[in-house]
Amino acid sequence: MSGAALNEANGPGEAQHPGETPIPVNDYHAQDGGHQSKGPLLAAALGSPDFDTVLDAESGNGPVEPADESNTEELPVPKRNIDDLRFPPPHLADIRWRLFEVREPIELKIDEFERYWPYTDNVWVRQHRAGTDRSGRITTDYYACRLQRPTYTPRKADTARPDGKPLRKKQTREGGTCQMRIKTVRTEGACPKYSITKVGDHEHTHDLDHMDRIKRNTVVMEIARAEVMKGFMPASVFTIMSEDEEKLAAAGGRYLNRNDVRNASQAWRRTHGDQLAVHPGYKYDHGNGIIRDEEAAAALLPPSTESTNISMLDPALAPTPIVPSPAPTLAPNTLYFPPSSRPFLDPYLPPPTPPSPLILPHITLSYATSLDSFLAIAPSTRTTLSGPASKALTHYLRTRHDAILIGVGTALADNPTLNARLPSAGGYGGLGWDGQPRPIIIDPSARWVLTPQAAILQAVAAGRAKAPWVIIAPGCSIAPARLELLKHYGGKYLGLPDLEKGYRLSWEAIFRALAAEGIRSVMVEGGGVVVNELLQPEYARFVSAVVVTVAPTYLGTGGVVVCPTRNVDVMGRPRPVVRFRDVRWEQVGEDVVMCGKLGTVEAEGAGVAAQDGEALVGGGEAAAARFTT
């Protein structure tokens, strides 16, 4: 920062000459012989004891009352300090932007919401609280952009404020230019959370930088107040906070100025304004304001109450040595799939622009098999086939899909967690539940009885997985206790409206029900019944891509095999059931991964229509999926 900028930002009324003794504001004129260069108004004020009033008059602030020693009201202790600026929460700038745009629903754990939301309270203003539902577990609030409020034009003369508080010099307040609104829903349960969604179709008419320019958020102002309450001059606090401009901008303080620091600490300075000092390692440089004292900083010991006069102010707020935050510890069993290994999967992943709810989700069929095409060594037996590298690939695929689907047989045999364990996924280093797929269990007769000891519910309670949705047949009866347990963890049962002929569930009905719930991509992982069904030609039109991991092992006869029912042509002659296209083979660790697109020419002709770009899928008996119960 240039000397002129420092001089303008700091102001002489809050400076200190080199040395350890704080300079009372009222004594400044007795220690500065070069004050005439500060301007006629300021020079005339240097002989007056009411220095703060004149300084504010020149800087554009309203007058500040002299310290009132009789005012001993207790002020709240700030929850944040300068370390929150030096060591900000992870990915702060990106998360602030997401909370500003809210292009897609955002789910945050309670502590994450309380950590990040104050960084955007300069954008959102609560309009009203819709209240809590009958269960007492769901609380809904509605927020509007701050610029939705009417434009405010101040009166010509300021109105007197109560309790002898100083007059405020008000300015015209921008408003009436943005109609964007959002809704926050707090849900209590095994893993409490906040859900943030956009309301209506309005977008912001401005960017986040514009909001940071016209309003500072709570965190930035609280950090400023906390530093002043440690006994430091606002000008010194401003210099300290502005040292790392990138971190300050990420926190929303790009346009922070000295007056903001003074305003944040005004109430506290009424009783302590004449006891403020410059930060250790800094000094007042005539003409440049508060600058770093390199010699003093090099020899500086950890701050003490003596060097900063904290003992006579607030001992509980005494500064502590700067200790870098420890590196985040990865959760147990975290996997890593390097970015350099991912590009070959791109053509087979869900598209960046998701389909509308009227179109079926992108379906990826993914499973691991032995060389003899077995999924498991025996029915109802959990079998590990994937090596460490291909297992990490599978978890990467999970992060790229909205949901992961298995049949009830796999759920009963494996007791799976059905989550993603990469560092970018929620619970393993990511925000909220980012990258965690929604588990979908196909369980027509509700055989899967969940208990709090189930691996998937324990992962949910730890914030490392989403709660499952269980798809059941219409008319299936479930005990209220089971319904309440799944609801407590954030899951639910989805009953299909009707059955197909032969009392079978329809794949079309399943995928359309998921699309109606906002699911835009599904990774189908098994088990044998599900995989074999979706490999049949009449169902291939539902599947967008396949990713098959082939392990270098033979399991032998008697296991769960991937072998669709034989297909014949119109003459009764056997023919291949399905052939993949756009195939790519890739070695991943000791395994080989095959990627391809699924569907024959006939299936494509029957399954895709050009009209309006909407996929037409087979329904009725042809699209019925068989499930054993």
Side-chain angles (χ1 to χ4, degrees), residues 179-201:
Q179 300 300 317
M180 182 160 174
R181 298 172 66 234
I182 61 172
K183 176 177 69 174
T184 66
V185 178
R186 174 168 177 155
T187 305
E188 305 295 341
C191 188
K193 66 178 182 179
Y194 273 95
S195 301
I196 306 170
T197 55
K198 183 180 173 184
V199 176
D201 298 326

Side-chain angles (χ1 to χ4, degrees), residues 382 406 410-418 441 448 454-457:
R382 184 169 187 172
I406 62 171
T410 302
L412 292 172
D414 293 353
N415 187 27
T417 55
L418 298 178
I441 314 298
W448 190 39
I456 190 169
L457 293 190

Side-chain angles (χ1 to χ4, degrees), residues 48 67 107 151 171 255 310 373:
S48 167
E107 288 188 337
T151 299
Q171 298 178 346
Y255 302 99
I310 297 299
S373 196

Side-chain angles (χ1 to χ4, degrees), residues 224-397:
R225 181 163 63 93
E227 283 301 294
V228 174
M229 290 179 69
K230 291 177 182 179
F232 298 122
M233 294 180 176
S236 183
V237 172
F238 173 75
T239 300
I240 291 292
M241 294 182 66
S242 303
E243 282 190 322
D244 193 328
E245 295 181 356
E246 183 177 347
K247 289 183 177 179
L248 184 60
R254 182 190 302 274
Y255 302 99
L256 180 75
N257 56 54
R258 185 183 64 85
N259 290 337
D260 292 327
V261 181
R262 291 178 59 83
N263 291 338
S265 61
Q266 179 173 294
W268 186 87
R269 287 187 294 111
R270 288 200 189 99
T271 57
H272 303 94
D274 59 345
Q275 303 169 2
L276 304 181
V278 175
H279 281 79
Y282 292 79
K283 64 181 180 180
Y284 171 72
D285 182 65
H286 185 71
N288 292 319
I290 306 297
I291 64 172
R292 188 174 182 83
D293 186 345
E294 299 297 342
E295 293 183 3
L300 187 64
L301 295 174
S304 66
T305 56
E306 291 183 5
S307 61
T308 55
N309 264 0
I310 297 299
S311 59
M312 60 182 177
L313 300 178
D314 292 282
L317 295 174
T320 55
I322 299 175
V323 179
S325 300
T329 303
L330 293 179
N333 302 320
T334 301
L335 304 173
Y336 181 71
F337 188 60
S340 59
S341 302
R342 303 174 184 179
F344 81 94
L345 293 168
D346 290 342
Y348 311 96
L349 295 175
T353 303
S356 73
L358 298 178
I359 304 177
L360 296 184
H362 175 104
I363 308 297
T364 301
L365 185 62
S366 179
Y367 58 92
T369 179
S370 64
L371 290 171
D372 46 357
S373 196
F374 280 92
L375 300 176
I377 199 167
S380 301
T381 302
R382 184 169 187 172
T383 305
T384 301
L385 292 172
S386 300
S390 60
K391 184 176 183 179
L393 179 148
T394 299
H395 281 253
Y396 170 68
L397 290 177

Side-chain angles (χ1 to χ4, degrees), residues 382-551:
R382 184 169 187 172
T383 305
T384 301
L385 292 172
S386 300
S390 60
K391 184 176 183 179
L393 179 148
T394 299
H395 281 253
Y396 170 68
L397 290 177
R398 290 180 178 182
T399 67
R400 299 295 302 271
H401 291 78
D402 290 348
I404 175 174
L405 184 148
I406 62 171
V408 63
T410 302
L412 292 172
D414 293 353
N415 187 27
T417 55
L418 298 178
N419 64 350
R421 300 204 304 267
L422 296 188
S424 61
Y428 292 85
L431 181 70
W433 288 265
D434 283 356
Q436 290 294 355
R438 173 71 65 182
I440 308 294
I441 314 298
I442 307 297
D443 188 11
S445 56
R447 290 192 293 147
W448 190 39
V449 180
L450 279 169
T451 67
Q453 289 70 44
I456 190 169
L457 293 190
Q458 291 197 358
V460 172
R464 295 175 180 169
K466 289 185 176 179
W469 294 351
V470 183
I471 295 181
I472 58 177
C476 181
S477 178
I478 301 176
R482 292 177 60 185
L483 291 171
E484 186 62 27
L485 175 66
L486 189 55
K487 185 177 180 181
H488 176 69
Y489 282 86
K492 60 184 175 181
Y493 288 91
L494 293 176
L496 297 184
D498 50 33
L499 290 171
E500 294 293 340
K501 190 174 181 180
Y503 298 99
R504 296 174 296 188
L505 296 181
S506 164
W507 279 114
E508 179 186 8
I510 291 171
F511 293 142
R512 285 200 179 276
L514 294 179
E517 293 286 340
I519 300 297
R520 300 162 300 183
S521 57
V522 180
M523 180 178 174
V524 180
E525 285 200 10
V529 173
V530 172
V531 171
N532 284 313
E533 285 286 348
L534 289 175
L535 286 174
Q536 294 292 343
E538 61 265 37
Y539 309 131
R541 69 193 68 173
F542 295 103
V543 180
S544 308
V546 292
V547 180
V548 181
T549 298
V550 182

